[in-house]
Amino acid sequence: MNLEKYILELGADKVGFADLSEIPLEKRHHLNYGISIAKAINPEIVVNIAEGPNQKYYKEYQRLNAKLDQIALQVAKEIRALGYEAIAKTTTTVASSESLQTDLPHKTVATRAGMGWIGKCALLITEDYGSAVRLTSVLTNLEFPLGTPINESKCGNCTLCTDVCEGKAVKGINWHLGMARASFYDASACRKEARKKSDLENIESTICGQCINICPYTRRYIKTSQEKAL
Ligand code: B12
């Protein structure tokens, strides 16, 4: 079975396969492999969040979460039908605590799968969609051809997300494997600013997205899709 083709046909925009053996066993439910699944945010919606979140973005956020949950559950079901173990890390199974941390963040599975790198803004940046992706993961013991992990940032000297963040959450430092989140990004400052912006728009979830909108890789994705539409 071509798992990648199967997952793309379910509606994913990007898929990668990760060796998780370097992650502590209990964080990965004793399963060695992770499937990273991304859905791209509609470019027309991303282009309109330069000033912060709006209701259209919130609806898109909910649509993508629901779709990613559906894909992850279906993939896990299919793998189990083949006789292997599989756990879908859906939005309901990965509730974040007060520490704003989950045991095994989707971004960790994504960099191990070679999907992209961690930007200065702490988001996963992909070559094809920039940071305009939402993610999910499936853990399994089914072996498949693995991606090449990405351990270094490709952001270079760019500081656009640092400059745009009114919450001053982004410190302007390039990520590399092994860096603690707090050394380059302040999660509580981000949450505070995102909460403020979400409240202004009566949005229940804590969302913002200015760092997604400004990223040159996201801009390239928007431009490419606008050109395709012509
Ligand atoms: C808690 C949380 C928040 C918190 C804290 C954010 C944060 N960066 O930690 C708050 C409320 C502030 C927040 C805000 C937002 N969030 Co949020 N959030 C989460 C959540 C639920 C858990 C993240 C977590 O555990 N963080 C703990 C830290 C340590 O991990 P991390 O930052 O996620 O990732 C680090 C590790 O992956 C590490 N790493 C990378 N490779 C490797 C390899 C190894 C071996 C190891 C050990 C580590 C490692 O580097 C990363 C950076 O520090 C995830 C969903 C999930 N289950 O992953 C979404 C998630 C990270 N959020 C997401 C988004 C989009 C946002 C917002 C833009 C809101 C919005 N939708 O508009 C903002 C902006 C965040 C930003 N600039 O990073 C997306 C990110 C997509 C992407 N392109 O990266 C996620 C993945 C949700 C999703 N399903 O797609 N979020």
Side-chain angles (χ1 to χ4, degrees):
M1 177 196 196
N2 183 335
L3 200 55
E4 181 177 357
K5 189 166 169 269
Y6 176 73
I7 299 171
L8 291 171
E9 279 169 5
L10 287 178
D13 291 311
K14 197 172 168 73
V15 179
F17 300 101
D19 176 358
L20 299 177
S21 51
E22 67 193 300
I23 312 282
L25 277 169
E26 63 284 1
K27 293 196 174 179
R28 53 184 163 89
H29 298 261
H30 294 252
L31 297 170
N32 280 348
Y33 306 106
I35 307 172
S36 177
I37 302 168
K39 269 212 69 75
I41 309 172
N42 180 336
E44 284 170 30
I45 289 175
V46 183
V47 94
N48 287 316
I49 54 168
E51 308 302 325
N54 52 42
Q55 286 294 337
K56 274 194 177 158
Y57 176 52
Y58 185 39
K59 285 214 169 67
E60 174 71 351
Y61 160 95
Q62 290 171 313
R63 180 184 77 85
L64 294 177
N65 282 354
K67 185 69 190 169
L68 283 166
D69 278 358
Q70 186 202 341
I71 296 173
L73 288 167
Q74 181 60 36
V75 170
K77 193 173 153 200
E78 193 67 25
I79 293 175
R80 284 196 294 268
L82 295 171
Y84 296 88
E85 289 178 55
I87 297 174
K89 302 276 283 179
T90 58
T91 43
T92 49
T93 60
V94 292
S96 61
S97 66
E98 264 313 289
S99 66
L100 299 179
Q101 302 232 6
T102 48
D103 274 357
L104 181 52
H106 294 318
K107 286 182 268 177
T108 302
V109 181
T111 68
R112 296 312 80 202
M115 300 270 280
W117 64 94
I118 303 298
K120 286 181 176 139
C121 60
L123 291 173
L124 181 86
I125 319 279
T126 64
E127 293 272 359
D128 22 18
Y129 302 106
S131 51
V133 288
R134 292 195 66 77
L135 300 164
T136 191
S137 344
V138 176
L139 306 180
T140 181
N141 58 355
L142 168 62
E143 240 185 294
F144 27 66
L146 298 165
T148 308
I150 298 180
N151 299 331
E152 300 279 341
S153 168
K154 293 188 189 172
C155 294
N157 295 327
C158 178
T159 57
L160 288 172
C161 62
T162 312
D163 303 337
V164 82
C165 179
E166 287 158 271
K168 309 235 174 301
V170 184
K171 299 182 185 179
I173 299 166
N174 267 326
W175 170 85
H176 59 77
L177 185 68
M179 272 170 89
R181 178 180 68 181
S183 63
F184 62 98
Y185 160 82
D186 182 341
S188 40
C190 173
R191 184 167 65 164
K192 199 168 156 205
E193 185 62 28
R195 196 55 265 147
K196 196 168 98 187
K197 288 194 159 57
S198 299
D199 280 342
L200 285 173
E201 297 293 323
N202 290 319
I203 295 170
E204 199 187 318
S205 297
T206 305
I207 58 174
C208 174
Q210 283 186 295
C211 54
I212 299 177
N213 168 284
I214 199 93
C215 176
Y217 287 91
T218 305
R219 290 298 167 112
R220 193 172 71 184
Y221 156 55
I222 294 170
K223 194 162 171 265
T224 311
S225 40
Q226 283 169 342
E227 283 164 1
K228 273 188 199 153
L230 286 178

